[in-house]
Amino acid sequence: MSLLKEWRDYAYSLDDRTPQGKQFWLNYFGVEQGIYKQLLSNVDEVVTGTVKELAEKYETTIQLMTGFLDGIDESLKTPNNIEEMDENTVVSLDFDLELLYKNMVGCQAEWLYTLPEWDALISAERRKELYKEQKISRTVVKPAKIGRNDPCPCGSGRKFKQCCGKNN
């Protein structure tokens, strides 16, 4: 079984309303925040290594490192092959800074997109723009409903109720 499948099977089976589930996720989010603080403090360095090496570097378990790699994968310039990853798979954490920020906003990970390390990397104005872009991208806009007496959208010039809106 791949590390990713093991991670997802275990982590997503935990109910975060139980003490065990709460403790697990609080621990994971703390580890995640610590790793991001280190990455954002030195964005010029592209971190690479095996899953096991990165877990040791960031002083965490292979399981939690797998969860981190699952979370950051969509923000990487070149995604890792996380589906088939084992502890000896070499991975890269070469992330796109703005995409990472937007993905953190999209996941509602306030504990990550409000880290003070962002201040030196992206201006407050630009972060506000990225935040807004991300929120708008997830907003569903329904088209205006066609009224019975409106012109038919098919272009016939007739009222909708007398054209495409007729009950057949």
Side-chain angles (χ1 to χ4, degrees):
M1 185 183 302
S2 76
L3 287 176
L4 183 64
K5 179 158 176 35
E6 286 177 25
W7 159 256
R8 288 180 176 170
D9 287 351
Y10 179 73
Y12 299 130
S13 70
L14 292 172
D15 185 345
D16 63 354
R17 294 171 291 183
T18 66
Q20 179 189 10
K22 276 184 186 172
Q23 187 58 48
F24 174 82
W25 285 108
L26 284 173
N27 181 44
Y28 171 75
F29 294 143
V31 167
E32 178 185 45
Q33 189 178 49
I35 295 172
Y36 276 120
K37 282 183 175 191
Q38 292 179 54
L39 288 174
L40 295 174
S41 293
N42 190 5
V43 292
D44 296 328
E45 176 192 354
V46 176
V47 177
T48 58
T50 66
V51 176
K52 185 177 182 179
E53 291 168 346
L54 293 181
E56 290 169 2
K57 176 179 177 150
Y58 294 110
E59 300 175 355
T60 189
T61 65
I62 290 174
Q63 182 188 43
L64 294 182
M65 191 69 221
T66 302
F68 178 83
L69 292 168
D70 185 18
I72 197 173
D73 204 54
E74 290 181 9
S75 303
L76 299 176
K77 293 176 183 172
T78 305
N80 293 307
N81 185 9
I82 61 173
E83 296 293 331
E84 296 168 20
M85 178 172 66
D86 64 35
E87 66 181 34
N88 298 313
T89 303
V90 177
V91 293
S92 170
L93 300 181
D94 188 16
F95 56 89
D96 177 304
L97 197 59
E98 290 190 352
L99 181 58
L100 178 63
Y101 185 83
K102 285 173 69 172
N103 287 339
M104 287 175 173
V105 170
C107 292
Q108 300 176 352
E110 189 173 342
W111 65 95
L112 297 176
Y113 69 79
T114 58
L115 286 171
E117 286 76 7
W118 286 109
D119 295 342
L121 302 172
I122 303 175
S123 71
E125 287 176 5
R126 182 65 183 143
R127 285 194 313 256
K128 192 179 277 189
E129 289 171 13
L130 293 170
Y131 183 91
K132 191 173 183 180
E133 280 176 27
Q134 180 60 32
K135 290 298 186 182
I136 288 172
S137 73
R138 301 225 175 196
T139 304
V140 177
V141 179
K142 290 184 179 181
K145 187 175 177 181
I146 302 167
R148 292 173 28 87
N149 292 315
D150 290 342
C152 190
C154 76
S156 67
R158 299 171 67 190
K159 289 183 179 184
F160 178 69
K161 69 180 179 185
Q162 295 173 338
C163 189
C164 294
K166 270 187 177 178
N167 292 335
N168 294 331

